[in-house]
Amino acid sequence: MEYKFLYELTGRQEQKIENLFDEVNSAYIYQHPHWTSIFQSNHHPCYFLGYDAGKLVIYAFIVEHHHTAQIQFGPVVTDSSLIADCVTAIRNYYNEKKFGQLTIQLGLHEGDVSRAIQKQIAQECKAVIKKNNREIYFSLRIDLTRSIEEIELDVSESTLRAIKRTVRHKIYAQQISSHEEANQLGVIHEFMYRRRKSRLPFRHPKQVFTKAYKYLQETGNGMMVGSFGRSGNLHGGIVIHFHGDTAYYRLGASKAYGKMPVLHPAFMEAIKISREKGFKIFDLGWYNPYIKENSSLGRISHFKKGFGGQMVAWAPRMEFKLNLWKMALTSANKVLNSLFRN
């Protein structure tokens, strides 16, 4: 096996990564090469490639920030038996680079296979496996092979009431169909974070949403669904990515429109469209029932649970403590940055 760590990709390498991603149905969107170039553009990327007899069989998008490195839902592999060895290679690479910490969230659901792989990794690399339920990534998955009537039977009464309320107020959902609407969704996203006094996940939301819209339109790999008022004004919307047999919710944003639940119709419309397109699963993304409902994350989980779905647990996150001095330095930088922001 030949491993490469690259900080720039050629067009040919990008195409091979794209082909690998298409080949692996279980590959998660956080590793998608074009997706990460849009949503992770303010971070330093490292591309990990693994070749077997000249064929690309392993790929990981690694985010480097200060003295830490992170992989979300990767590496993408053609065979899960390759994971332990390539994680060891990644860990050794960052150990040699004197990084403080490496964090890896495997793109595997929790189960016998993931537990066996993590046990092997922990023995070889002294990984800390975060098994606390509040730290585990869960998601909710809706079975789209059923009829809409059957799907709606799992929707909570409060969510159905919220959707009916928006109908009475002439709020409707449909696909976002122009760069101008995508740009407006970026404006709403930025305003939402500033209203909450929260740190923006990316620097230029308008550019991110317009680039995402262009990518989704050109490739057909997803859609944006908006909630519109009676005058056609956009009140909020969500971004959906398609891969394999699954439609994934990626992110959303909404205006403060009184106490009107403006995103409820957008989610319901996205579920219906995804089903009509032949997808088998609608993945609502991050969900955690173990977080207090009165917290901001707890309210997000409660909102998503209203649409039903089966809870799925992903393999626990792994942490590799490589250099305690660098870890302390990174922690100090975070504290200072937080003080300056405040």
Side-chain angles (χ1 to χ4, degrees):
M1 188 71 64
E2 179 189 6
Y3 299 128
K4 291 183 179 180
F5 293 86
L6 305 173
Y7 291 87
E8 287 186 9
L9 295 172
T10 65
R12 186 179 180 185
Q13 288 167 335
E14 287 182 357
Q15 186 57 57
K16 286 187 175 182
I17 292 170
E18 188 82 19
N19 294 342
L20 173 64
F21 199 93
D22 291 340
E23 181 183 342
V24 181
N25 184 61
S26 60
Y28 205 67
I29 56 170
Y30 290 113
Q31 286 291 308
H32 194 283
H34 290 155
W35 203 248
T36 51
S37 69
I38 296 171
F39 288 95
Q40 299 280 3
S41 59
N42 57 334
H43 294 293
H44 300 291
C46 175
Y47 306 95
F48 173 74
L49 283 67
Y51 295 88
D52 183 16
K55 181 185 178 182
L56 183 67
V57 293
I58 303 169
Y59 162 71
F61 177 86
I62 309 171
V63 174
E64 296 183 357
H65 187 61
H66 295 305
H67 301 291
T68 65
Q70 182 183 39
I71 299 175
Q72 289 185 294
F73 300 96
V76 177
V77 295
T78 55
D79 189 327
S80 61
S81 66
L82 301 172
I83 293 175
D85 286 344
C86 73
V87 166
T88 300
I90 294 168
R91 183 263 180 199
N92 291 342
Y93 175 78
Y94 284 104
N95 189 48
E96 291 175 5
K97 288 192 70 175
K98 307 296 183 185
F99 268 52
Q101 181 170 293
L102 167 67
T103 304
I104 298 179
Q105 169 71 65
L106 294 177
L108 297 172
H109 290 140
E110 202 279 334
D112 292 340
V113 173
S114 65
R115 283 193 291 270
I117 291 171
Q118 289 192 310
K119 182 179 179 181
Q120 181 181 348
I121 293 170
Q123 290 173 342
E124 294 178 2
C125 301
K126 297 181 180 179
V128 176
I129 300 175
K130 312 295 283 187
K131 295 183 179 181
N132 187 312
N133 279 332
R134 286 178 295 180
E135 297 181 279
I136 290 178
Y137 190 103
F138 298 90
S139 61
L140 285 173
R141 312 193 106 197
I142 297 172
D143 179 6
L144 298 182
T145 63
R146 301 171 296 164
S147 68
I148 286 295
E149 291 74 20
E150 289 173 312
I151 291 171
E152 288 181 342
L153 288 175
D154 288 341
V155 178
S156 71
E157 286 295 326
S158 61
T159 298
L160 290 174
R161 285 196 301 270
I163 293 172
K164 290 177 182 178
R165 186 180 169 203
T166 60
V167 172
R168 289 197 301 270
H169 285 79
K170 308 297 183 184
I171 293 176
Y172 61 94
Q174 66 181 28
Q175 288 192 58
I176 286 174
S177 57
S178 70
H179 283 87
E180 291 74 22
E181 289 174 351
N183 183 76
Q184 183 59 30
L185 187 56
V187 172
I188 293 170
H189 184 270
E190 181 173 359
F191 182 75
M192 180 182 73
Y193 272 83
R194 296 197 186 284
R195 186 179 73 240
R196 294 174 179 174
K197 297 181 179 179
S198 300
R199 186 179 183 183
L200 285 164
F202 19 78
R203 292 174 185 167
H204 306 292
K206 289 187 289 185
Q207 292 181 18
V208 167
F209 278 85
T210 53
K211 284 181 180 179
Y213 175 78
K214 181 181 179 183
Y215 163 72
L216 296 176
Q217 287 293 108
E218 289 177 350
T219 63
N221 286 343
M223 61 184 173
M224 293 183 179
V225 179
S227 290
F228 296 83
R230 64 182 73 191
S231 60
N233 292 330
L234 182 66
H235 293 306
I238 58 178
V239 181
I240 307 298
H241 184 268
F242 301 145
H243 181 66
D245 60 3
T246 304
Y248 294 92
Y249 164 70
R250 174 62 178 88
L251 77 164
S254 64
K255 291 180 181 178
Y257 191 64
K259 293 186 178 180
M260 191 63 61
V262 296
L263 285 185
H264 285 71
F267 271 94
M268 205 66 227
E269 182 68 9
I271 290 167
K272 290 177 180 178
I273 294 173
S274 298
R275 181 183 175 277
E276 290 169 2
K277 287 181 175 292
F279 292 98
K280 296 180 180 179
I281 299 166
F282 189 91
D283 190 307
L284 285 158
W286 177 90
Y287 167 79
N288 195 311
Y290 300 100
I291 293 177
K292 293 180 180 179
E293 277 195 17
N294 60 358
S295 67
S296 59
L297 291 177
R299 287 190 288 272
I300 291 172
S301 287
H302 179 74
F303 168 81
K304 291 182 177 181
K305 185 60 179 173
F307 291 94
Q310 182 71 36
M311 185 175 78
V312 175
W314 293 78
R317 189 176 76 252
M318 298 183 294
E319 291 183 354
F320 303 83
K321 302 182 187 303
L322 307 176
N323 187 304
L324 296 178
W325 165 248
K326 291 290 181 65
M327 287 177 62
L329 186 61
T330 300
S331 297
N333 282 334
K334 286 182 180 178
V335 172
L336 289 172
N337 289 335
S338 177
L339 290 172
F340 280 121
R341 284 200 305 270
N342 295 330

